[in-house]
Amino acid sequence: RIDFWSLAISVAESGASTFRECLAEDELRRAEGFAASEDARTFSIARGFLRHVLAGYCDASPADIRFGVGRFGKPFVLTAPARLEFNLSHSSEAVVIAVALERELGIDLERRNREWESIYRRVLPPGELEEMEKLETADRAEFFVRQWTRKEAAVKALGGELRLLPRTTYPEDPSRTREWKALDVPGIQNHVCT
């Protein structure tokens, strides 16, 4: 079972202080390091929301959640009672979180209007490039963003380096094909989520 959680940033702004209050010192420093105050606010809301979600799985307060970091920077919960897997993605408008027990997962959220025309030829592998070029121009942006979110979610699930993303097909390791599924998550306004 995979649980999906989402939050509109505009809805969360009225309670932003609640999310900020539960952040650890290193998270507060990261938030303060953003040049734009909007980015700092979005980061604080996303991390605070993550702590509130994970607290329910860990039977702990949001402030008591402790994180470790894996080989490529993928965070994990040190205080979880079981192997709790999670992943977070956000834009300036929304936060999405996926949570599961004993199951690697990744999630990505991208705006539908993401710039794609200048990069699609260098980031899509040949088969996807051919498939995209057969589409009507109006359908290409959606196709590109969907493929991009699938790739990024797969790399994030494996805790891999995002530099591997461009030519990655999901799943990254063909020997694990039967273990992986790409699930498109509907309902996030103006976004594609996988």
Side-chain angles (χ1 to χ4, degrees):
R1 181 179 111 186
I2 300 173
D3 296 330
F4 295 99
W5 299 81
S6 66
L7 178 67
I9 297 293
S10 61
V11 170
E13 285 179 335
S14 62
S17 62
T18 301
F19 291 125
R20 189 170 173 77
E21 288 169 2
C22 68
L23 299 182
E25 286 299 317
D26 63 315
E27 292 167 316
L28 292 170
R29 280 192 302 277
R30 280 181 65 190
E32 290 166 4
F34 286 100
S37 62
E38 181 179 313
D39 293 338
R41 187 180 67 254
T42 300
F43 173 82
S44 296
I45 289 170
R47 288 300 288 210
F49 180 50
L50 175 65
R51 286 176 163 279
H52 279 267
V53 167
L54 294 176
Y57 292 90
C58 297
D59 194 28
S61 74
D64 290 336
I65 300 295
R66 297 290 174 253
F67 297 101
V69 180
R71 183 172 156 210
F72 295 111
K74 184 176 182 180
F76 60 91
V77 181
L78 291 169
T79 52
R83 196 181 109 207
L84 183 68
E85 294 284 335
F86 71 92
N87 205 243
L88 172 145
S89 186
H90 66 82
S91 70
S92 62
E93 297 174 19
V95 179
V96 291
I97 298 169
V99 182
L101 290 175
E102 307 288 329
R103 171 181 265 174
E104 293 173 311
L105 52 78
I107 194 165
D108 187 44
L109 177 74
E110 298 288 341
R111 288 195 48 80
R112 278 199 155 80
N113 66 355
R114 178 188 175 131
E115 160 53 36
W116 62 275
E117 290 188 64
S118 65
I119 62 172
Y120 80 99
R121 289 189 185 280
R122 68 175 188 267
V123 301
L124 293 179
E128 291 173 6
L129 189 55
E130 284 177 36
E131 191 176 343
M132 182 175 171
E133 289 178 340
K134 290 178 187 175
L135 297 173
E136 296 294 324
T137 303
D139 297 328
R140 290 180 181 183
E142 181 78 14
F143 177 87
F144 175 79
V145 174
R146 177 74 56 210
Q147 294 307 103
W148 186 265
T149 61
R150 288 175 177 172
K151 292 169 187 300
E152 191 162 333
V155 171
K156 289 170 70 177
L158 296 169
E161 295 181 82
L162 291 178
R163 68 178 177 79
L164 302 174
L165 180 66
R167 294 294 183 161
T168 299
T169 55
Y170 66 93
E172 186 174 90
D173 178 353
S175 69
R176 298 173 73 171
T177 300
R178 60 179 165 60
E179 297 177 34
W180 291 97
K181 285 185 184 178
L183 303 173
D184 296 328
V185 181
I188 312 296
Q189 189 174 12
N190 301 320
H191 290 76
V192 171
C193 183
T194 301

